[in-house]
Amino acid sequence: MSFASTDQPAPSAPDSEPQAAPVPSPGSGAHDPGAYRHDLDGLRGIAIALVVAFHIWFGRVSGGVDVFLVLSGFFFTGMLVRRSDSGVVGVPATIRRTLRRLLPAMVVVLAAVVIAAVLLLPHTRWSDIAAQTLASLFYYQNWYLALSWSDYLAADPSVSPLQHLWSMSVQGQCYLGMLLIIATVAWLCRRGPALRRFTPVRGVLASDPMRALLRSGFGRRMVRTSRQNVLRIGLAVIFTAIAVASFCYAAEGVSTQQGWNYYDTFARAWEPLTGALLALAAPMVKLPKLMREMLGWAGIAAIIACGWLVNGSSVFPGPYALIPVLATVALILAGAGLATAGQPLVNRLLASSPMVGLGGFAYALYLWHWPILIFYLGERHSREAGAVGGLIIILVSFVLAYLTHRFVEEPLRLRSTPTVPAAPARARMLIGVAVSTVGVLLLGSTVAWQWSMGAKAHAVGELDPAKYPGAAALADGALVPRAPMRPTIEEAPADVAYPTRDSCIADFDTRSVVTCTYGDANAHRTIAVVGNSHAEHWIPALQIVAEKYRFKISVYLKMGCPLTVAEEPMYKGQQNPDCKDWSHDVIERLGAERPDYVFTTGTRPADNGGDEIPQDYLDVWHELADRGLQVLAMRDTPWLRRNGIRYRAIDCLASGGNRVECGMKRPDALSAVNPALAASDDFPNVHVLDLNNAVCEPTVCAVVEGNILIYHDEHHLTASYSRSLAPELERQLRPILGWW
């Protein structure tokens, strides 16, 4: 977000932008929407303090970002409308000024993050950092995260240090949209007389509905009103329509696709548009003193309490986001049109020097605090900063934010004011050249790295079983000669199961059932592979067996969605309603198509170590039994975790760890006895499979066996290792299927 105070016209407004009119005296009754609002600078200070504290200590969304979205819409719209009153809006100039205000500090932080990533993170993490750096520079980070459905609250070393910049992208996109709308409406207002001469416009004006409107009292008032008021009325109508549509869309998204909804620009648009509508209505606001006091105190109380009242990551920007949004509106209205001395007490407190000072470098503080938090947690291999660690993070963030604000932001955007002298022209030029150079180097290096890594990442073909026995080293005691590991750590991310490669697995935002066929497509016997990616990663092994013994594999797969009948399926702590509807359709299709066997996962990792079989899995077994379907329940393979934090094998290996050090103790990964065994006693239709003795050694689950890397990420088998499991899978399926 832009937390910079120059969103509102100020004594230090950028470039040659017209200065705001003086604040009217408390008794004048005048309402000047352009008056400088020190109390809203203070509100920025409160909001950034909440954002930082909740990120570091509480692991919750505070609502501070929503506050900033409303403020940015309020100030940006007010500035553009005032500019349109004195002439053209100036789209190129506005974009240039806005980027000069926002980009320099971001470039500095991005460069620092890239340097820290090179120094502190394994090179296997650099590709994602590079991709998110580009996404942040070009303001599409929110879409990058939406596509991967990242968990914003999962503040641990596996999270990107740039993930918080999604909000900057949302704000930049909203700025551009509002700018184009305001500029277009302003142009139409200026061209009104000429436009009325066009045949289509004349036809509209001559129509019976328009004539009736123009003859009405409202129409006559509109004809008499000034061009500026016509502009405001037109913008109010457009912004209201878009805001209502955005709010309805966001409300629907909470219950259907919240992972996407959280980052979706259109779902967020109603928040800055609320501020924009308030800017348009500000000249008409006249409230009694008591109401202002009530609004001020209610607003600040709601903002402070918001993070405790609701779990924002699960419900924002839906209706619950009205809490921080309306609270911000209340505080804006409480002090509207009044000098600081005449404002309600809470607004005067917000206008105090400490709060205004904090708000002054809120933007830089927002940019710095998250990457510092993530790198700190990464170095300590912890999920929590703790009291002392949190204070250290805040102190370092404050120092860096102040330096960035003082020596980068201010010299590049401010002219002289009574309190802040402008930097000399030479200094401004040197800082500008330095930041631009850093930006160019940053862009070039990230693009080059992405290109080089893209060339190295590819799926591995068939490996020589003599050199690469893989699972046979554990299951059959095969000899393991000296050979380089395959896939390599560069190849691994692309060595994925076939349905992902073939787009035969529904993603998080795909509600429809996607199916594909593997094995022998003409066979009369069928195994349906059903569930999420942990059912999917057995496809390479099943493919080999199916081709050998001539049976068909039909896949019904969806990311993050094991087959479920739960009322409120969850994924990464968020509701996943598509999973319920998808599962219902799949179960019905299985009942109608009647495959010979349904292959799915039968266990999952337990939070306190080992593995378990959740009740939801048993409920699914009941549903399949009711339809007379036979089930192959595969025990899940280990998920790489330390202290509850997931990690990638390739990251550990790239950091110098070996196959055992990067693995897990077997008791931490798997319970002593397969938990699905006892549960299956009540289900004659369920047949339990367990291949973990071909994945783990007796005491340790390493990440490489038989010269083949087992995982391509934190917990999914590489296609290469899955293929090496085919002989063991064949042995366990033989007595169950009886097909060979």
Side-chain angles (χ1 to χ4, degrees), residues 364-698:
L365 183 56
Y366 182 80
L367 293 178
W368 280 112
H369 84 281
W370 182 261
I372 293 172
L373 168 64
I374 297 304
F375 282 117
Y376 178 87
L377 295 177
E379 288 301 296
R380 293 182 59 86
H381 304 289
S382 173
R383 292 182 65 91
E384 298 178 354
V388 175
L391 291 175
I392 293 173
I393 293 167
I394 290 174
L395 178 61
V396 174
S397 300
F398 262 81
V399 171
L400 292 175
Y402 172 78
L403 294 175
T404 304
H405 178 68
R406 178 67 181 85
F407 296 106
V408 177
E409 289 186 284
E410 285 186 339
L412 291 180
R413 78 179 186 209
L414 299 182
R415 291 191 178 276
S416 295
T417 73
T419 57
V420 182
R426 181 178 176 81
R428 287 167 60 91
M429 183 186 70
L430 290 176
I431 294 173
V433 169
V435 171
S436 300
T437 302
V438 170
V440 171
L441 292 175
L442 187 65
L443 179 61
S445 61
T446 51
V447 170
W449 180 259
Q450 286 294 82
W451 179 84
S452 64
M453 290 302 295
K456 294 179 181 179
H458 58 82
V460 177
E462 296 291 335
L463 297 172
D464 181 356
K467 291 183 178 180
Y468 296 94
L474 297 177
D476 303 322
L479 295 177
V480 182
R482 293 180 64 86
M485 180 189 75
R486 297 293 301 278
T488 65
I489 55 180
E490 289 81 15
E491 295 169 334
D495 197 40
V496 297
Y498 308 151
T500 292
R501 177 197 65 190
D502 301 335
S503 300
C504 289
I505 179 171
D507 60 27
F508 295 112
D509 300 304
T510 299
R511 164 64 182 77
S512 59
V513 177
V514 178
T515 62
C516 289
T517 300
Y518 295 93
D520 185 347
N522 298 317
H524 298 295
R525 296 176 298 195
T526 302
I527 292 180
V529 178
V530 182
N532 61 11
S533 53
H534 280 260
E536 177 205 22
H537 68 193
W538 294 101
I539 292 293
L542 278 167
Q543 171 84 354
I544 294 173
V545 180
E547 290 177 343
K548 182 177 181 180
Y549 295 105
R550 300 183 63 80
F551 62 86
K552 180 168 63 176
I553 303 170
S554 297
V555 299
Y556 304 83
L557 302 167
K558 180 172 172 60
M559 295 179 183
C561 181
L563 204 61
T564 181
V565 292
E567 285 299 317
E568 294 184 356
M570 305 293 287
Y571 175 75
K572 288 188 176 183
Q574 296 179 354
Q575 292 185 8
N576 188 10
D578 276 356
C579 182
K580 175 186 174 182
D581 297 334
W582 177 88
S583 295
H584 174 270
D585 288 354
V586 169
I587 291 173
E588 292 301 316
R589 288 186 61 167
L590 293 173
E593 296 174 4
R594 307 199 60 76
D596 295 275
Y597 288 89
V598 175
F599 180 104
T600 191
T601 50
T603 65
R604 70 179 180 192
D607 291 337
N608 56 355
D611 54 348
E612 63 183 3
I613 179 166
Q615 180 62 43
D616 190 34
Y617 286 21
L618 301 179
D619 294 339
V620 168
W621 290 1
H622 274 291
E623 292 288 333
L624 298 177
D626 291 344
R627 289 162 175 78
L629 295 171
Q630 298 292 310
V631 178
L632 300 170
M634 175 63 77
R635 188 183 191 182
D636 205 356
T637 48
W639 295 32
L640 299 178
R641 296 172 296 169
R642 289 189 183 131
N643 300 322
I645 301 171
R646 291 178 298 171
Y647 65 93
R648 298 192 304 177
I650 58 175
D651 294 341
C652 181
L653 293 170
S655 298
N658 60 40
R659 54 180 288 273
V660 174
E661 293 170 343
C662 293
M664 297 177 63
K665 295 179 180 178
R666 181 161 177 155
D668 293 338
L670 300 167
S671 301
V673 178
N674 184 353
L677 286 172
S680 67
D681 291 341
D682 297 327
F683 296 89
N685 67 310
V686 174
H687 312 275
V688 176
L689 301 170
D690 183 358
L691 270 66
N692 278 299
N693 285 337
V695 176
C696 296
E697 299 171 20

Side-chain angles (χ1 to χ4, degrees), residues 234-257:
L235 290 176
V237 171
I238 295 171
F239 285 167
T240 299
I242 298 175
V244 170
S246 170
F247 181 81
C248 294
Y249 174 77
E252 175 68 15
V254 170
S255 59
T256 58
Q257 50 179 12

Side-chain angles (χ1 to χ4, degrees), residues 101-220:
R101 191 172 72 240
L102 300 180
L103 274 182
M106 187 195 291
V107 167
V108 170
V109 173
L110 289 175
V113 168
V114 168
I115 293 171
V118 171
L119 295 176
L120 302 175
L121 300 180
H123 73 268
T124 47
R125 294 282 306 278
W126 297 357
S127 182
D128 185 58
I129 297 295
Q132 293 201 37
T133 299
L134 292 173
S136 299
L137 276 173
F138 291 99
Y139 286 84
Y140 63 89
Q141 170 78 324
N142 61 314
W143 300 118
Y144 181 94
L145 296 174
L147 289 170
S148 60
W149 201 350
S150 296
D151 183 359
Y152 188 54
L153 288 183
D156 62 50
S158 66
V159 175
S160 166
L162 299 176
Q163 193 159 296
H164 66 313
L165 296 181
W166 68 268
S167 55
M168 281 290 300
S169 297
V170 169
Q171 186 202 39
Q173 294 161 29
C174 288
Y175 271 178
L176 181 60
M178 289 190 293
L179 172 60
L180 294 177
I181 290 172
I182 293 171
T184 300
V185 175
W187 180 84
L188 290 173
C189 288
R190 292 194 307 274
R191 300 288 294 174
L195 287 173
R196 286 197 291 270
R197 292 195 293 269
F198 285 107
T199 300
V201 176
R202 287 204 307 268
V204 171
L205 293 175
S207 64
D208 291 339
M210 184 56 68
R211 285 179 174 177
L213 175 62
L214 293 175
R215 285 197 298 267
S216 67
F218 175 74
R220 288 194 296 270

